[in-house]
């Protein structure tokens, strides 16, 4: 940044409502030159547009889905083709939102960038989430319904089928992301799910790489994982389950060796660190520096698996941001996931630093 640019940003910080004419006079520029600087700053994400709002610095920005989670679980052995006695619940969900809430409960300075409908569910989601994360980057869209995710669980808490109503994310364009880039540029770390289109995902990955912004990608599902570009250079972490890893790597996974083969293929796409979860069999990790390992989880009672993957991501990134190395970061992620598995809630309401540390010590020390 040259002296003139620094002066203009200083003047804007002192008076966010300064006119371009006054800005030009104080900076010794023509009005056209001042307008050019303003346009450039907006494109770079250094200011957020009219009123020249400077984005507040945040530790983590979670980008992607925020949905209504509906869970229906069978009281008995699930039988297809007939009626099953069941119970149900409704809660706030969405991968990016869930990760943001987990991180917020752990004390991280986090914000969430998503879109919701201008409806009761959308307002409820934002009001609830703002207790844990800054939701000012998010936007309410008229004429759209808030995303909804319905999971049908068997009597043991395992998912039998899930239904996703996510058409609202089709409205997100690269221009929308550009208009919000100030929030990206002012964050230390980005977590991106794959709810948005392939073009939008590619644009975010490319720009984070160009601007050296650390990025974690967490696919939402196997079909949505296929929207990721072939070139994943600059991605710091990619955390996926078996099916998502198969889709990204383009290979089937049948045994433990296949997990590492898939992880290595993803590393060759440019990712620095890959984690592939294996459900109740734990996870494998593989890095571009040759680190590799398998972590086996403790035998614990499972109440509900929904949200466990999101809490795994949150725990890993929380540990990463606190300087913890790969293997131990994965253990912290698993500890966070254990807490989620032991509640019917998508994010465990008792989650905090102390609970996470206690769970980590009980299971991995």
């Amino acid at each position: 940044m040259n002296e003139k640019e620094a002066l203009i940003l200083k003047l804007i910080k002192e008076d966010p409502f300064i006119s371009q004419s006054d800005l030009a006079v104080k900076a010794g520029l023509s009005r056209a030159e001042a307008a050019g600087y303003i346009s450039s700053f907006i494109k770079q994400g250094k200011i957020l547009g009219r009123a020249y709002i400077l984005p507040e610095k945040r530790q983590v920005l979670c980008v992607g889905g925020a949905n209504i989670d509906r869970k229906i679980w069978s009281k008995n052995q699930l039988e297809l083709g007939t009626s099953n006695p069941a119970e149900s619940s409704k809660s706030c969900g969405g991968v990016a939102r869930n990760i943001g809430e987990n991180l917020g409960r752990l004390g991280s300075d986090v914000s969430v960038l998503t879109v919701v409908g201008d409806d009761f569910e959308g307002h409820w989601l934002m009001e609830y989430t703002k207790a844990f994360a800054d939701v000012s980057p998010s936007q309410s869209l008229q004429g759209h319904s808030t995303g909804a995710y319905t999971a049908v669980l068997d009597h043991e808490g395992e998912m039998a089928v899930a239904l996703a109503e996510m058409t609202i994310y089709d409205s997100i364009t690269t221009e929308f992301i550009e208009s919000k880039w100030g929030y990206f540029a002012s964050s230390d770390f980005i977590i991106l799910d794959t709810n948005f289109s392939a073009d939008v995902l590619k644009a975010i990955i490319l720009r984070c790489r160009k601007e050296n912004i650390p990025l974690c990608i967490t696919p939402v599902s196997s079909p949505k994982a296929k929207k990721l570009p072939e070139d994943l250079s600059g991605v710091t972490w990619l955390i996926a389950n078996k099916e998502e890893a198969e889709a990204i790597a383009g290979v089937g996974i049948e045994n433990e060796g296949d997990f590492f083969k898939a992880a290595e293929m993803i590393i060759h796409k440019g990712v620095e660190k890959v984690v592939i979860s294996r459900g109740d069999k734990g996870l494998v990790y593989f890095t571009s520096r040759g680190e590799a390992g398998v972590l086996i989880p403790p035998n614990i009672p499972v109440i509900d698996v929904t949200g466990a993957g999101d809490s795994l991501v949150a725990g890993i990134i929380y540990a990463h941001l606190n300087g913890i190395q790969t293997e131990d970061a994965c253990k912290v992620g698993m500890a966070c996931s254990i807490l989620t598995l032991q509640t019917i809630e998508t994010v465990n309401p008792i989650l905090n630093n102390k609970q996470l540390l206690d769970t980590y010590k009980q299971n991995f020390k």
Side-chain angles (χ1 to χ4, degrees), residues 158-179:
E158 293 291 330
M159 183 192 299
V161 67
L163 303 171
E165 181 188 354
M166 308 288 179
T167 55
I168 189 171
Y169 302 122
D170 296 338
S171 65
I172 301 302
T173 63
T174 54
E175 289 76 19
F176 176 87
I177 296 300
E178 286 181 8
S179 73

Side-chain angles (χ1 to χ4, degrees), residues 179-195:
S179 73
K180 301 284 187 177
W181 195 257
Y183 296 107
F184 290 80
S186 61
S187 299
D188 296 320
F189 198 96
I190 308 297
I191 299 176
L192 174 67
D193 75 24
T194 55
N195 273 301

Side-chain angles (χ1 to χ4, degrees), residues 21-39:
S21 297
D22 289 343
L23 188 63
V25 170
K26 291 184 178 182
L29 301 168
S30 68
R31 182 167 180 175
E33 288 174 323
Y37 276 111
I38 294 301
S39 176

Side-chain angles (χ1 to χ4, degrees), residues 8-78:
I8 293 171
L9 285 177
K10 179 176 179 293
L11 292 169
I12 289 172
K13 188 172 183 178
E14 292 171 351
D15 181 7
F17 294 93
I18 189 172
S19 68
Q20 286 188 6
S21 297
D22 289 343
L23 188 63
V25 170
K26 291 184 178 182
L29 301 168
S30 68
R31 182 167 180 175
E33 288 174 323
Y37 276 111
I38 294 301
S39 176
S40 176
F41 287 151
I42 292 173
K43 289 179 181 178
Q44 294 175 54
K46 291 179 179 177
I47 58 177
L48 300 180
R50 292 212 41 104
Y52 307 137
I53 302 169
L54 282 81
E56 186 176 346
K57 187 73 174 175
R58 295 286 179 187
Q59 186 179 26
V60 185
L61 174 66
C62 298
V63 182
N67 316 313
I68 297 297
D69 272 356
R70 298 185 178 94
K71 301 177 190 177
I72 304 173
W73 55 95
S74 178
K75 291 184 177 181
N76 305 315
Q77 183 75 37
L78 192 62

